[in-house]
Structure formats: C-alpha cells, structure tokens
Amino acid sequence: MPAVQETVERVKRIDVDQYRYGFETLIESDKAPKGLSEETVKFISEKKNEPAWMLQWRLEAYRRWLTMQEPTWARVDYPKIDFQDLYYYAAPKPKKTVSSLDEIDPEILKTYEKLGIPLREVAMLEGVEPKPGEEDPARRKIAVDAVFDSVSVATTFKAELKKAGVIFMPISEAIREHPELVQKYLGSVVPTSDNFYATLNSAVFSDGSFVYVPPGVRCPMELSTYFRINERNTGQFERTLIIADKGSYVSYLEGCTAPQRDENQLHAAVVELVALDDAEIKYSTVQNWYPGNSEGKGGIYNFVTKRGDCRGANSKISWTQVETGSAITWKYPSCILRGDNSRGEFYSIAISNGFQQVDSGTKMIHLGKNTSSRIISKGIAAGKSQNTYRGLVTAHRKATGARNFTACDSLLIGDKCGAHTVPYIEAKNSSATFEHEATTSKISEDVLFYCIQRGLSQEEAVGLVVNGFVKDVLQQLPMEFAVEAQKLISISLEGSVG
Amino acid sequence: MMALLEVKDLKVRVEEREILHGLTLTVNEGEVHAIMGPNGSGKSTLSHVIAGKPGYEVTDGQILFRGEDLLEMEPDERAAKGVFLAFQYPVEIPGVTTMNFLRTALNAQRKARGESELMVPDFLKKVREVSKSLNIPQDMLKRGVNVGFSGGEKKRNEVLQMALFEPSLCILDEMDSGLDIDALRIAADGVNALRSPGRAMVVITHYQRLLNYIVPDVVHVMSRGRVVKSGGKELALELEASGYAQFEDAA
Ligand SMILES: Nc1ncnc2c1ncn2[C@@H]1O[C@H](COP(=O)(O)OP(=O)(O)OP(=O)(O)O)[C@@H](O)[C@H]1O
Ligand SMILES: [Mg+2]
C-alpha cells in the first residue's frame, strides 16, 4: 500500500484527538518518591546499582542545577514547572529478573506491538512496498532498544551486534559493564554544567542507550531506540551516548511516543555523539510525543539537548529529525566541528499544529580547518501553532576555509499560525563562506484545489503537498523511518484546514 | 438521450461581483460541446463552479449531474463521480512525483466509489499505455507534478490524467493554448479516443482550429456571463470569420 493511501486509512481510524499512540498501559510500577533532592538522586543511582563515581557525578550535577535558572530566551510560553511536583523515576515492576524477551511483562510487549515496534527478533522488518518506478528498498535488519518510562526493557539482536564488536545496550548496563568508556565520554560533549535541562538530566537520568562502534567497523544494522513515557506525572530523562571510533560508521534511529494526558509531562533528554577520525554517525529522530489536545491541554514539554562532536579529522555527524509531537519543543541538535575537514549536517522537519510551540534549530560550530556544514530546515505551521527556527553558525579564528549552507523554508497552513526564522551567523575569519537562504510561503489554495479536483480529500491534499515540501529531508531518513514519518506528517496535520 | 450535465439559470459571484448572470447549458451523454467566447466572459468561472472550486458564491440557479444536485457535493466527491476539469493553468506540486500523484488520486477516486485499489503492476501497465499514446516520456512521470514542465507538457499531463481516471464529464479549459501543431494533434487524438456514448465533453477554446480535431456536436458562444448563442459546428467557423462583436449587444 502506498504510504499516502495508508495514511488516509489510518487517519480515518484515529479518535477525536487524533493521536493514535494515546493509550496507557496498566502495569505495576516502582517509583521514586515525588520531588527532587539529593535523596532522589541517590535513590536512582541505587536502583541502577551504580558505582560510586557515577553517583558523585550525578550529585555534582544536582548541586550545580540548584544554582541555575530555567532559560527564557526561546519563543515558547508555558506556566512555570514545579520541579518538586514530579516523579523522577518510574520503572515497570518486574515480575522476576528478566533475562530474555519472553520474560518481559506481556503488557509491555503488547504496548510496543501496538506502536508497531518489532521487539521480537524477527529477522526482517516487514518490507515496504516500493513506490512505482522505484526499486525495492533493501530489506534491512534493525536492532531495537526499548525504553519504557525510566527503564530499558529490551534490546534486540544483541548477539549479532556482539559478533561485530558493536556495543549496544542500555546506558545503565554500560555504566556497570564498560565503565572505562562511559567515564571517558559521558559529559564530554554536553558537560554537566551545560544548561538547565542538561544539568537536571545529568543528575537524574535513568536510562537511555549506549553505543560504541570499534575502529573500522561498519555497524551491520540500523540501531534504534523507542522511548515511551507511560507513567503519570513522571519526567523522562534519558541519556544517550554514541561513540564511533576511528573509521567506523553507525546509523541510529530514535522514536518517541507517550499516552494522552491532561497534564503536561516533562521530557529532558541529553544525547551525546562522538565521532573520531574518519568516523560517521547518522542520527535520526521521529519525535511524536503527545502534543496536547485540540484545546491545547496536556502534552509533553520536550526540552532536549543533543550535540555531536566531530572530534576527529574527516569525521561526519548528520542529524535528521522529524518533529511532529510535543506541546513545546526546545531542541537544537548541534555539531562541534573540531576535527579538520569534518562535516556536520542538520536536516529537519518540524511540524506544529493546534497549540503546539516549536523552537528548534541547530548550531554548527566550526573550529577545525576546512570544516563544512549543511542545514536544511522545513518548518510547517498549522492551526494556532508557533514554529521558530533558531540557528547558529560560527567559524572560529582558526577555522579557515569553513563553509556552511543553510536553507530554511517555512510553510504556513491557515492564518492563525506563525513561522519565524532566527539565524545567528558569526565568522571570525575572513575565509569562511556562509550561505543562507530562507523562504516562507502559504500553502496554495490553487494547488490544494488541483489535488481535490483529482479526487483527494482536503486533508489528503494537504498531506500530499506537505510531504512534497519536506521531501528533501525525508530522503535523508532510512527507508523504514521515511515511510513512518510520511504517515505521521499527514496525521499530525489532521484538521489543520477547512 | 440522457442529460449528463444541466446548468440552469446559474448566477455566480466572486468577491461581491456577479460574473455569471443566469447561464443555462445542457450536455447530454455522448456529446461534445464547445464553448467559445471573449476573454473574461466567464468560461473558466463556469468550469470552476462545476468542479466546486472554493471562492465562488452561487446566488441562484442549479447544476445537475445525472439529475443529482452537484452543488451539494464536495469537490472530491464530484471528482469520484466522474467530473474532471483539465485546468487552463495546471499548477506545480514540488516534491510529489507525477507517478505518485496519479496513483494517489486514482486510488482515492476508486475508494470513494467503493472499488478496490489498483495493484501496482496493473497501475503501472495502464500508465505506460496511456502515456505512450500521448507521447509522454516515462521520466517525465518521475518528476514533480508539472514542475519544470513546458506549457505543452503540462497540458498533455492533463489529458493523461483524464485518460487514466476515465471520467464521465470532461471539461477541457483551453487545452490547446500553448500547444504546438503536433502536440495539439496528439492531445486531440487522446481526447477523441475517450469519446464514448457514456461520456460527454465540454471543450473551452478560443480557436476554431482545435475543433477541426475534436469535432463538437454543439457550439456555444458565451459573452458577459451568459450563453448567448448555440449552434452546430459551423458556428465556430462563423465566429472565426466575424469575431464576437455581434454578440456583445446580445449579452
Ligand atoms: N477570483 C476572482 N476575483 C475577481 N474577479 C475574478 C476572479 N475570478 C474571475 N474573475 C473575473 O471574472 C471574469 C471572468 O473570468 P474567467 O476567468 O471566467 O474568464 P474566461 O472566459 O475564462 O477568460 P479567458 O478567455 O481569458 O480565459 C473576469 O472579468 C475576471 O476578472
Ligand atoms: Mg479562462
């Protein structure tokens, strides 16, 4: 079935609030006491069986956090968060110790099934029907790490990855099993003092994924993590650390969903990427946290710090994101181009509808010689949403020959939404060449009518036109994700016109 | 003979200005009607109102399609029921391949009619046949809908869609404009191939030449928002010779 067609069918099955991931799983859970204190931090560290150095690290972050203020510069508006009114840790209560997938609470497995995530070690993902005229996509394997509330519940394809020497495991496990790697790299890209939310995350993060790809290894499959917030009043603070050693390659995908709730929930993740000489990391996100209902009630506050360090020469880090969910998004996946000839890329689709507020973009920090970066941002605003692209491109004194190309396109659907572009550009040496293009357009009535005259409904027409608008970015995603993203885009624009 | 389209005393306003002042037109199944008339007389407006384009206010009159009230139907519903408009100015849809567009649209129509989706191989086969007969190269179908198409290519793409969707009422708004002689003949052959007892066509044109290729059963002259004269195909020749001046007063 072609993606668009399937979208249409899915859209028809969606409930009033249009969010198909809005179910809640009833399982027993193990929570930290409400509120944040040194005790909470210790509780989490203890739950995770962490070594003393890790607890110290967390406590330092916590003490630091106490001295910090929530940032206010982003173009987002929300009532003050009471950080004492949250739970910082919730884990599904295990029936017994889990050693294989079969022992996982079937309710959790069912949840992931509902989300369409293949936790079973099925050798092949379901094939995606090729578009007419295109050849069959390679049927590929994907290893999945599933994080349910604060805990990683399953990681698939462990054995096969191990054979290749790739470490892919929950970070809580990595802290115990590979302390030398974690200690060396954790906080080396996003220091514990980096910003309010990152510091908070450093104190209370509960789980997330850890990836290490040894020198010269091309990771034999896509790695992927699905994050799911299930518990009420629970913040999710996951921490992801990916290290691509010299000459290695890895592609990592991240997906996020949450149940539908009236209250806002906080998600403050930190992702750190390190690419050594000649290494490449491709990091893709399809973010579909619950965006709140049609009146703007509920939804996730997504305050995320993602940064990649092109530490080695000729290294490359590429961020691709499709952001359709969250009530508020505050997110700037960035690249530090430290190694000479390193390259950073940022491809983004940010869709806002209803009362969503998006303030997202990237930072490309050119430090090494002949570094290059490319930014393609597609913002789509519908309903009463506000969508801001905020980007920083800098070239330091020694970054001779630095090059950047930026293209920001915004599409407005309706006249009650807003799109804003805030580019900051600074070149501290004269050999840097920065190019910036920006366009803002409204979805054309004539184009919509053309599609509708050919039999598409108003909503299908919007979905089709928008999918065309974002095509350059969609093409950057791995095939399976591109199809999923395409569906999401249409679904999230449900009810945006007419 | 069964009336496929009946436009009765239609009055239409755009932005507070009346453009159609009581237009009446009946098209029977199997017939080809030509509409001619000076710039701004309301030909495209009529075609848009039949297709259901937003922005037009019908203040009086009615449009029946196979006896059903067309104005009550959503535009996509009209399309699924077999109303097709080949636009005077086809739009571009960047990033959406023509092939994808054709398939999405065809399946949307089929679905609305309660038919099953066309399987990919059947669809491809059909597109290949039709595009070949219209001299449309396959790689054009891989490009964004009408993006970077020449004027003539855009018009051929309209005829391609018409042939693929097999509508029962085809309204062609100046499909001859921008076509060179050969392209015109190919497109006209395409249209003629679709002539059938169950299908009617309304061909809007400024030039009698098109009507040498697509020979109409009835020719209407429109002026200032009304049909002011109707006749056989010889009326087109007459107009070619004498122009529209004689009708200006009648309107
Ligand atoms: N959206 C609009 N707003 C204002 N006036 C309009 C609009 N659409 C059409 N009109 C006016 O309605 C009249 C009829 O236009 P229409 O496009 O139907 O003419 P036409 O017969 O198709 O002309 P042509 O032969 O040049 O294509 C014109 O005077 C035009 O300016
Ligand atoms: Mg016209």
Side-chain angles (χ1 to χ4, degrees):
Chain A
M1 211 181 327
V4 175
Q5 198 56 41
E6 204 173 307
T7 301
V8 174
E9 267 153 39
R10 288 214 185 174
V11 166
K12 299 227 162 96
R13 275 188 261 125
I14 289 170
D15 52 335
V16 254
D17 265 319
Q18 298 150 8
Y19 187 72
R20 79 179 162 115
Y21 305 99
F23 54 84
E24 176 176 3
T25 308
L26 293 172
I27 44 151
E28 271 194 275
S29 90
D30 196 7
K31 279 187 188 171
K34 209 178 211 179
L36 185 51
S37 64
E38 293 213 355
E39 295 317 306
T40 318
V41 176
K42 282 180 192 156
F43 176 94
I44 295 169
S45 187
E46 209 164 289
K47 275 279 164 203
K48 297 277 167 191
N49 262 326
E50 286 178 356
W53 61 266
M54 195 63 238
L55 175 61
Q56 265 329 318
W57 198 85
R58 287 177 181 275
L59 286 172
E60 272 163 37
Y62 173 68
R63 288 168 198 146
R64 181 79 183 215
W65 181 75
L66 290 174
T67 69
M68 297 169 93
Q69 298 290 323
E70 252 185 284
T72 53
W73 44 262
R75 196 186 180 107
V76 293
D77 188 24
Y78 57 96
K80 229 173 154 40
I81 299 170
D82 181 355
F83 288 92
Q84 295 307 336
D85 196 32
L86 286 178
Y87 289 101
Y88 287 84
Y89 181 85
K93 232 179 215 162
K95 299 248 153 77
K96 53 182 172 173
T97 0
V98 177
S99 61
S100 92
L101 219 51
D102 292 329
E103 292 169 38
I104 290 174
D105 192 327
E107 284 302 312
I108 295 181
L109 281 183
K110 252 191 250 162
T111 301
Y112 280 97
E113 240 155 63
K114 265 195 233 173
L115 295 169
I117 298 158
L119 273 192
R120 297 268 155 204
E121 296 203 10
V122 276
M124 296 290 171
L125 266 193
E126 246 196 305
V128 181
E129 203 180 354
K131 292 194 200 100
E134 283 175 18
E135 52 182 352
D136 257 34
R139 287 165 160 255
R140 278 189 315 241
K141 292 179 186 175
I142 299 186
V144 179
D145 182 26
V147 177
F148 202 85
D149 288 330
S150 309
V151 168
S152 169
V153 292
T155 307
T156 61
F157 287 110
K158 269 186 174 165
E160 210 170 326
L161 287 167
K162 200 167 176 189
K163 222 168 73 189
V166 174
I167 304 171
F168 178 42
M169 56 171 58
I171 198 159
S172 54
E173 254 175 77
I175 289 167
R176 296 191 300 266
E177 292 179 26
H178 301 282
E180 68 304 334
L181 284 173
V182 177
Q183 261 181 302
K184 184 168 178 191
Y185 292 105
L186 188 72
S188 74
V189 187
V190 179
T192 48
S193 57
D194 193 78
N195 70 74
F196 186 82
Y197 304 114
T199 306
L200 176 63
N201 174 286
S202 302
V204 301
F205 77 85
S206 36
D207 224 329
S209 297
F210 176 82
V211 178
Y212 172 78
V213 190
V217 171
R218 199 180 161 85
C219 186
M221 63 186 82
E222 306 271 352
L223 303 182
S224 141
T225 302
Y226 272 84
F227 295 104
R228 170 94 181 150
I229 299 178
N230 191 58
E231 276 298 317
R232 252 166 224 285
N233 293 319
T234 309
Q236 179 146 339
F237 305 92
E238 80 273 352
R239 184 103 194 179
T240 298
L241 175 59
I242 300 177
I243 303 134
D245 212 323
K246 292 180 181 170
S248 69
Y249 169 84
V250 63
S251 168
Y252 180 92
L253 328 165
E254 163 197 76
C256 329
T257 60
Q260 222 162 300
R261 299 209 187 284
D262 287 350
E263 78 265 8
N264 296 103
Q265 275 181 293
L266 177 63
H267 172 253
V270 172
V271 175
E272 297 179 275
L273 312 181
V274 180
L276 301 183
D277 289 353
D278 305 301
E280 180 176 349
I281 302 175
K282 192 172 160 57
Y283 192 105
S284 314
T285 304
V286 174
Q287 183 267 106
N288 187 27
W289 297 118
Y290 179 53
N293 72 6
S294 48
E295 269 106 51
K297 203 159 189 259
I300 303 289
Y301 291 165
N302 193 32
F303 301 144
V304 171
T305 305
K306 290 184 165 174
R307 197 171 301 152
D309 189 355
C310 286
R311 208 163 279 182
N314 308 311
S315 57
K316 180 177 168 188
I317 289 179
S318 166
W319 297 100
T320 304
Q321 59 171 23
V322 178
E323 303 277 317
T324 63
S326 298
I328 299 182
T329 302
W330 180 99
K331 181 182 170 191
Y332 316 89
S334 305
C335 297
I336 302 169
L337 304 167
R338 205 183 297 278
D340 291 345
N341 306 311
S342 62
R343 179 168 174 82
E345 292 175 346
F346 175 74
Y347 299 101
S348 169
I349 298 169
I351 298 186
S352 54
N353 195 1
F355 287 85
Q356 284 176 275
Q357 306 175 56
V358 177
D359 195 299
S360 185
T362 184
K363 288 188 264 184
M364 293 292 174
I365 300 168
H366 295 255
L367 302 176
K369 292 186 181 52
N370 299 317
T371 47
S372 63
S373 60
R374 182 177 164 85
I375 299 171
I376 309 286
S377 161
K378 306 272 183 181
I380 297 136
K384 292 179 179 155
S385 66
Q386 294 296 328
N387 201 323
T388 303
Y389 168 82
R390 189 181 300 277
L392 168 73
V393 180
T394 69
H396 283 239
R397 226 167 7 89
K398 290 179 184 158
T400 49
R403 275 165 296 133
N404 166 266
F405 173 77
T406 299
C408 290
D409 298 318
S410 306
L411 187 67
L412 295 167
I413 302 175
D415 49 16
K416 293 187 182 73
C417 50
H420 320 274
T421 305
V422 190
Y424 304 92
I425 298 170
E426 33 179 84
K428 297 198 182 115
N429 76 70
S430 56
S431 64
T433 44
F434 291 170
E435 269 178 83
H436 180 95
E437 290 172 4
T439 66
T440 300
S441 50
K442 280 198 75 159
I443 196 158
S444 150
E445 293 295 331
D446 284 345
V447 171
L448 288 184
F449 183 65
Y450 186 85
C451 299
I452 293 166
Q453 207 299 304
R454 300 304 189 243
L456 275 69
S457 69
Q458 176 98 348
E459 267 157 10
E460 291 168 89
V462 171
L464 190 78
V465 172
V466 169
N467 271 307
F469 174 73
V470 300
K471 190 178 191 185
D472 304 351
V473 174
L474 274 186
Q475 281 172 337
Q476 298 296 328
L477 285 173
M479 183 68 183
E480 300 79 1
F481 257 37
V483 173
E484 183 67 16
Q486 203 172 14
K487 292 174 203 157
L488 264 182
I489 289 166
S490 303
I491 290 169
S492 56
L493 288 169
E494 254 267 72
S496 60
V497 275
Chain B
M1 223 182 305
M2 165 110 179
L4 187 68
L5 176 73
E6 296 163 88
V7 181
K8 296 179 183 168
D9 203 25
L10 188 71
K11 293 188 180 158
V12 172
R13 283 168 166 261
V14 180
E15 285 166 13
E16 304 300 305
R17 190 178 135 215
E18 193 169 274
I19 309 282
L20 301 183
H21 311 285
L23 183 143
T24 297
L25 176 73
T26 300
V27 180
N28 294 315
E29 277 184 341
E31 291 179 350
V32 173
H33 288 225
I35 298 181
M36 304 184 81
N39 294 129
S41 54
K43 304 182 294 295
S44 293
T45 301
L46 174 65
S47 71
H48 289 156
V49 174
I50 294 172
K53 187 171 180 178
Y56 296 89
E57 188 197 349
V58 177
T59 53
D60 205 2
Q62 55 176 181
I63 305 179
L64 302 180
F65 182 69
R66 294 191 200 283
E68 279 185 274
D69 187 352
L70 200 63
L71 296 173
E72 282 299 305
M73 295 178 211
E74 292 298 325
D76 50 329
E77 213 180 324
R78 301 183 199 189
K81 291 223 175 200
V83 175
F84 182 92
L85 170 59
F87 287 86
Q88 182 172 0
Y89 305 108
V91 297
E92 300 184 0
I93 315 177
V96 179
T97 63
T98 306
M99 200 60 122
N100 183 18
F101 180 78
L102 295 175
R103 181 149 177 249
T104 306
L106 182 60
N107 282 333
Q109 291 191 21
R110 291 178 68 97
K111 197 147 167 257
R113 291 192 293 260
E115 298 164 13
S116 66
E117 270 186 19
L118 215 52
M119 291 291 121
V120 181
D122 299 336
F123 168 78
L124 287 176
K125 190 163 163 257
K126 202 166 165 187
V127 173
R128 253 181 236 123
E129 272 168 23
V130 177
S131 52
K132 198 166 166 216
S133 72
L134 289 166
N135 232 355
I136 293 172
Q138 289 296 304
D139 60 85
M140 213 171 100
L141 304 177
K142 291 180 189 155
R143 284 157 52 190
V145 177
N146 293 325
V147 176
F149 286 22
S150 73
E153 285 169 339
K154 285 182 185 172
K155 293 302 172 80
R156 263 185 284 164
N157 193 11
E158 296 292 283
V159 181
L160 167 67
Q161 294 178 51
M162 195 167 105
L164 205 58
F165 302 155
E166 301 175 332
S168 42
L169 174 66
C170 309
I171 304 166
L172 299 137
D173 195 356
E174 299 197 23
M175 66 153 275
D176 51 340
S177 68
L179 290 187
D180 63 43
I181 311 271
D182 292 338
L184 179 66
R185 193 166 38 236
I186 292 164
D189 287 346
V191 173
N192 283 328
L194 290 170
R195 288 180 83 147
S196 84
R199 181 175 291 136
M201 299 191 186
V202 175
V203 181
I204 297 170
T205 181
H206 285 292
Y207 303 105
Q208 192 276 330
R209 188 187 59 198
L210 176 68
L211 305 181
N212 288 337
Y213 295 108
I214 305 172
V215 181
D217 300 297
V218 185
V219 175
H220 305 277
V221 181
M222 246 183 99
S223 178
R224 296 183 187 169
R226 283 192 189 90
V227 171
V228 290
K229 186 165 185 178
S230 302
K233 60 174 189 277
E234 61 294 337
L235 181 56
L237 286 166
E238 206 177 295
L239 285 170
E240 186 94 332
S242 54
Y244 295 116
Q246 51 173 320
F247 302 108
E248 298 279 291
D249 298 335

